């Protein structure tokens, strides 16, 4: 009995060790859960493994055109539907009014798989009211 | 019982604070490198598995040689590898989320690549926590003895100078890179607020780890906590002033720059600069 009392006596080394262990166990469990989550994510990545080449598309947002300093800014989104990274993606947007072409070009340095890049192209005339718009992915580099 | 329990929990949290801070000190240059974010996106499944095993083995090796806990046994050392690996993963995740490199739109593969890549230096830093930040570290023993003999104002001045040197060292290295204007252009006000809060948290953590003495608190020094708050705010102010000064010196900001652009750059560079300042402070 006296031994038992001694074992739980506050402030003894044994009691401190017990507390130390509970604190350590708690942090160890949290750490293990974090690592298991990473292992789970790697497993998920393996099970859903896709090796699709970069598949780039451009989505125009004609309803969000803004006129600033005499230029019409057309917002757009360039999306890579594939799973591979595309580097230096060259995008050309052509606005044609009465057979006259106005081109706007830009380069996206880095577009990851399933990634989206927002951009703006500027034209002299409002593309939503006159003419047609064409988009073209000129080229990209495979890393 | 409660007091003893509190003390052991506090020791454990202090150990983790030490590990996280040292992880940031070693990991921040890579965490602020654009190529490393991109490299994380290139990684394939075999990279994930190799990196995972590599991080674990490195942490096991380091926990046996250094470790981040001050008093420990061999059995606990092997469990430390699990802890430091988790610290590396969580530390990397926090910074990548705060810098908007990982968002709700990021795929699991891309997030995994970035986290595992960044976890290598962060977890190595965490494993070296005891050497970098440990009060009983041999490298600090001599200077601590010197500091105890010196008048308080000399120690304070030395501490401020060391902090400034650390801030300028990291701020100079990063201010010239394209990452700072890129992040400034991309991050919204909410993200900038998160960067600011993380900066304050790290400063407070380092002050706690270097200045806090549990025995002093038990002896009834009521002003200690408020002194820590004041010191953290002072270090934060020094960090912001010298970060802005570095940006100005390198022509990244000037009197004609828009105020919000200048402030945003200072906030974004302030996080690594604060970690550099913490590193400088720890040299003392």
């Amino acid at each position: 009995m006296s031994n038992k009392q001694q074992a739980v006596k506050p402030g003894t080394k044994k009691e401190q060790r017990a507390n130390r262990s509970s604190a350590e166990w708690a942090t160890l469990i949290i750490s293990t859960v974090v690592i298991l989550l990473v292992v789970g994510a790697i497993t998920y990545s393996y099970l859903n493994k896709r090796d699709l080449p970069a598949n780039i598309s451009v989505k125009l947002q004609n309803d969000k055109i803004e006129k600033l300093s005499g230029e019409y800014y057309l917002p757009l989104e360039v999306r890579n539907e594939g799973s591979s990274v595309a580097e230096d993606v060259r995008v050309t947007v052509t606005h044609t009014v009465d057979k006259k072409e106005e081109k706007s070009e830009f380069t996206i340095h880095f577009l990851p798989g399933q990634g989206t890049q927002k951009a703006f192209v500027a034209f002299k005339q409002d593309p939503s009211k006159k003419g047609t718009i064409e988009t073209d992915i000129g080229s990209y580099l495979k890393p | 019982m409660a007091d003893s329990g509190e003390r052991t929990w506090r020791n454990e949290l202090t150990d983790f604070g030490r590990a996280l801070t040292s992880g940031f000190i070693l990991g921040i240059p890579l965490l602020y490198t654009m190529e490393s974010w991109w490299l994380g996106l290139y990684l394939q499944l075999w990279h994930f598995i190799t990196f995972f095993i590599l991080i674990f083995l490195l942490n096991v090796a380091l926990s046996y040689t250094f470790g981040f806990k001050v008093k420990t046994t061999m059995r606990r050392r092997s469990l430390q590898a699990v802890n430091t690996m988790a610290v590396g993963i969580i530390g990397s995740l926090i910074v990548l989320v705060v810098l908007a490199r990982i968002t709700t739109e990021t795929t699991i593969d891309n997030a995994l690549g970035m986290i595992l890549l960044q976890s290598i230096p962060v977890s190595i830093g965490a494993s070296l926590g005891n050497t970098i930040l440990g009060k009983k570290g041999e490298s600090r023993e001599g200077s601590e003895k010197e500091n105890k003999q010196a008048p308080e104002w000399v120690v304070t001045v030395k501490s401020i100078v060391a902090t400034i040197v650390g801030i300028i060292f990291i701020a100079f290295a990063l201010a010239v890179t394209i990452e700072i204007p890129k992040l400034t252009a991309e991050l919204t006000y909410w993200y900038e607020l998160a960067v600011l809060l993380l900066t304050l948290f790290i400063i407070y953590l380092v002050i706690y780890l270097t200045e806090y003495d549990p025995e002093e608190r038990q002896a009834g020094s009521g002003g200690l906590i408020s002194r820590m708050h004041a010191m953290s705010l002072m270090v934060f102010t020094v960090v912001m002033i010298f970060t802005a000064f570095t940006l100005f010196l390198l022509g990244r900001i000037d009197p004609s720059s828009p105020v919000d652009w200048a402030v945003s750059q200072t906030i974004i560079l302030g996080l690594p600069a604060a970690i550099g300042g913490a590193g400088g402070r720890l040299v003392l």
Side-chain angles (χ1 to χ4, degrees):
Chain A
M1 182 69 188
S2 62
N3 282 342
K4 274 183 186 175
Q5 277 177 339
Q6 206 173 3
V8 292
K9 195 179 170 185
T12 60
K13 278 187 179 178
K14 208 167 186 179
E15 193 233 20
Q16 281 183 20
R17 209 179 297 136
N19 285 325
R20 179 77 183 165
S21 293
S22 68
E24 277 191 335
W25 273 114
T27 52
L28 184 65
I29 287 166
I30 294 167
S31 300
T32 309
V33 168
V34 169
I35 290 170
L36 286 177
L37 282 173
V38 172
V39 172
I42 293 174
T43 312
Y44 175 87
S45 172
Y46 172 71
L47 294 174
N48 293 279
K49 194 185 173 193
R50 292 183 305 167
D51 198 13
L52 304 171
N55 176 13
I56 302 157
S57 60
V58 181
K59 191 179 166 191
L60 301 170
Q61 294 175 313
N62 288 328
D63 54 326
K64 290 180 182 169
I65 292 173
E66 278 189 61
K67 189 183 178 187
L68 296 162
S69 307
E71 297 268 354
Y72 291 89
Y73 285 84
L74 167 64
L76 53 90
E77 282 183 358
V78 183
R79 183 164 171 79
N80 179 2
E81 293 289 351
S83 60
S84 304
V85 174
E87 267 189 21
D88 290 336
V89 183
R90 294 175 66 184
V91 183
T92 308
V93 185
T94 310
H95 181 213
T96 310
V97 184
D98 302 330
K99 293 185 181 176
K100 279 186 183 173
E101 286 185 346
E102 189 185 0
K103 285 189 178 181
S104 187
E105 292 179 342
F106 61 90
T107 302
I108 299 169
H109 194 49
F110 196 85
L111 194 59
Q114 300 295 308
T116 304
Q117 175 68 57
K118 290 179 182 170
F120 287 86
V121 281
F123 296 110
K124 298 279 180 210
Q125 295 189 64
D126 189 347
S128 64
K129 289 181 180 164
K130 279 184 182 176
T132 55
I133 303 171
E134 272 183 47
T135 59
D136 180 46
I137 307 297
S139 63
Y140 72 85
L141 297 178
K142 187 177 167 35
Chain B
M1 169 91 185
D3 182 47
S4 174
E6 188 202 331
R7 194 162 62 243
T8 54
W9 272 100
R10 198 173 56 215
N11 288 345
E12 191 68 8
L13 292 176
T14 307
D15 284 344
F16 271 81
R18 183 186 297 122
L20 189 65
T21 311
S22 342
F24 281 144
I25 289 173
L26 250 74
I28 206 70
L30 194 68
L31 281 162
Y32 261 67
T33 304
M34 194 159 56
E35 284 76 6
S36 74
W37 306 330
W38 292 347
L39 193 62
L41 306 176
Y42 288 120
L43 302 184
Q44 308 285 319
L45 185 69
W46 71 269
H47 287 113
F48 297 162
I49 297 165
T50 312
F51 277 31
F52 186 84
I53 295 167
L54 183 70
I55 297 167
F56 186 70
L57 292 179
L58 278 171
N59 282 289
V60 169
L62 285 169
S63 67
Y64 274 90
T65 45
F66 297 100
F68 74 99
K69 296 189 178 183
V70 177
K71 287 178 183 174
T72 191
T73 62
M74 290 302 273
R75 186 181 66 84
R76 282 174 176 167
R77 280 188 190 281
S78 49
L79 297 178
Q80 266 189 48
V82 176
N83 289 334
T84 50
M85 197 172 168
V87 169
I89 291 165
I90 293 169
S92 305
L93 178 68
I94 290 171
V95 177
L96 290 168
V97 167
V98 162
L99 296 181
R101 299 305 97 189
I102 293 178
T103 64
T104 49
E105 290 175 9
T106 311
T107 62
I108 287 183
D109 276 12
N110 290 346
L112 205 54
M114 282 189 274
I115 292 169
L116 287 176
L117 183 69
Q118 303 288 355
S119 294
I120 296 177
V122 179
S123 63
I124 289 174
S127 284
L128 295 173
N130 199 21
T131 311
I132 299 173
L133 278 161
K135 286 207 165 190
K136 289 181 170 63
E138 277 181 24
S139 59
R140 299 193 60 204
E141 212 168 72
S143 54
E144 265 186 12
K145 209 176 278 176
E146 265 178 43
N147 287 341
K148 271 179 189 169
Q149 289 164 354
E152 200 175 333
W153 71 269
V154 174
V155 177
T156 308
V157 169
K158 275 172 81 175
S159 166
I160 292 171
V161 169
T163 305
I164 293 169
V165 170
I167 292 166
I168 291 179
F169 177 71
I170 291 279
F172 250 84
L174 292 178
V176 292
T177 65
I178 198 75
E179 280 79 358
I180 304 302
K182 183 178 165 62
L183 286 168
T184 308
E186 288 180 12
L187 299 189
T188 61
Y189 290 119
W190 289 110
Y191 274 107
E192 285 176 17
L193 182 66
V195 172
L196 205 61
L197 290 176
L198 184 60
T199 308
L200 269 169
F201 172 73
I202 290 169
I203 289 171
Y204 196 84
L205 196 60
V206 171
I207 301 282
Y208 176 87
L209 292 171
T210 53
E211 303 293 327
Y212 186 87
D213 187 351
E215 284 165 21
E216 199 178 335
R217 190 189 178 195
Q218 278 169 358
S221 174
L224 182 69
I225 297 296
S226 58
R227 204 172 74 211
M228 276 173 56
H229 288 314
M231 206 177 278
S232 302
L233 279 175
M234 187 200 75
V235 171
F236 178 75
T237 311
V238 170
V239 165
M240 288 299 143
I241 289 171
F242 279 90
T243 303
F245 176 67
T246 308
L247 285 165
F248 171 73
L249 216 57
L250 295 172
R252 291 290 184 184
I253 56 173
D254 57 55
S256 66
S257 303
V259 175
D260 58 346
W261 178 252
V263 171
S264 297
Q265 283 202 82
T266 308
I267 289 171
I268 287 158
L269 185 59
L271 173 60
I275 292 166
R281 192 181 177 83
L282 297 169
V283 173
L284 276 183

